[in-house]
Amino acid sequence: MDSVDTALDRVWPAELRTDRLLLRPVTREDGSLVSELLTDGRVRAHLGGSVTEDRGAARQAAYPTTAGAWTVVRVADQRPIGLVTIGADHRCEGRVELSCQLLPAAWGEGLGREAVAAAVSWWTDAVPGGGPLVAVTQKANSASCRMLEAIGMTVVDELDDHGARQCLYTPAGDQDDSDLRWFRLLAARRDAVERR
């Protein structure tokens, strides 16, 4: 199996379309969207809080060159409303992590569910055997938990990470025991190091 980055590079860039959305690769023109997402306290409430100006600038510069980073555009008004990313999971080698952030003005319309479902389907179709896919969200983020469950993802584990209880989701039937054991071992090791 290729590394996640190698697998993404083979199929990137990619555009995805749904009934209401276009997911297109992030461009430099999306800088203001990235900045707004990274500094909005509501968006970042379950993501560790607003990022510093330096970290925000680094992410703005990196996103346009990152395979697997889409800008979510609402088709009706052509307005960029968020980001969806698929990339290597820093917690477990060979596994893919999915992430989604939407501006608060786009919440409650099912757009996150539509965007994430499109990305999951794309990964499954474009990169068969590309590695297990996960999404990690704080248990307190009930809206994200409901969204992931609505597209058929299931909680396969819970852990304490970065001072919060996290739920590890994967598409039903897409996770094997060995991956979970590695995830738990890595999380326990990281927790032990952080306590020192």
Side-chain angles (χ1 to χ4, degrees):
M1 179 175 80
D2 290 335
S3 75
V4 172
D5 292 331
T6 300
L8 276 169
D9 285 341
R10 277 197 332 263
V11 295
W12 195 258
E15 280 193 357
L16 311 177
R17 294 182 185 274
T18 69
D19 290 342
R20 300 180 292 166
L21 301 172
L22 167 66
L23 280 68
R24 59 161 174 75
V26 177
T27 67
R28 297 207 186 290
E29 288 74 30
D30 296 318
S32 61
L33 169 70
V34 172
S35 178
E36 189 174 355
L37 289 167
L38 295 175
T39 59
D40 188 301
R42 295 166 295 176
V43 173
R44 302 292 304 171
H46 298 288
L47 298 170
S50 298
V51 300
T52 64
E53 192 173 313
D54 289 344
R55 279 191 72 197
R59 287 198 189 169
Q60 282 177 315
Y63 273 129
T65 61
T66 302
W70 287 284
T71 296
V72 180
V73 178
R74 188 172 30 216
V75 172
D77 58 10
Q78 294 299 301
R79 182 164 193 259
I81 59 169
L83 298 173
V84 170
T85 60
I86 286 184
D89 182 354
H90 69 279
R91 297 171 200 90
C92 187
E93 188 176 334
R95 193 169 61 200
V96 181
E97 184 174 7
L98 170 75
S99 179
C100 178
Q101 300 176 61
L102 292 183
L103 295 172
W107 292 356
E109 301 175 39
L111 298 172
R113 181 177 61 241
E114 198 169 314
V116 169
V120 170
S121 292
W122 173 80
W123 177 256
T124 303
D125 294 343
V127 191
L133 176 76
V134 298
V136 180
T137 190
Q138 285 187 15
K139 189 171 188 170
N141 190 350
S142 58
S144 286
C145 292
R146 282 191 311 271
M147 184 260 304
L148 292 168
E149 291 163 7
I151 65 166
M153 295 185 83
T154 58
V155 175
V156 291
D157 202 2
E158 290 185 19
L159 61 136
D160 292 316
D161 193 20
H162 301 292
R165 192 71 176 161
Q166 306 281 339
C167 294
L168 174 71
Y169 283 86
T170 191
D174 192 34
Q175 190 72 38
D176 83 25
D177 259 351
S178 62
D179 289 328
L180 281 176
R181 281 195 295 275
W182 275 109
F183 186 80
R184 289 181 186 126
L185 287 171
L186 290 171
R189 182 169 183 264
R190 186 176 55 252
D191 288 345
V193 168
E194 288 175 358
R195 282 193 293 268
R196 289 184 198 155

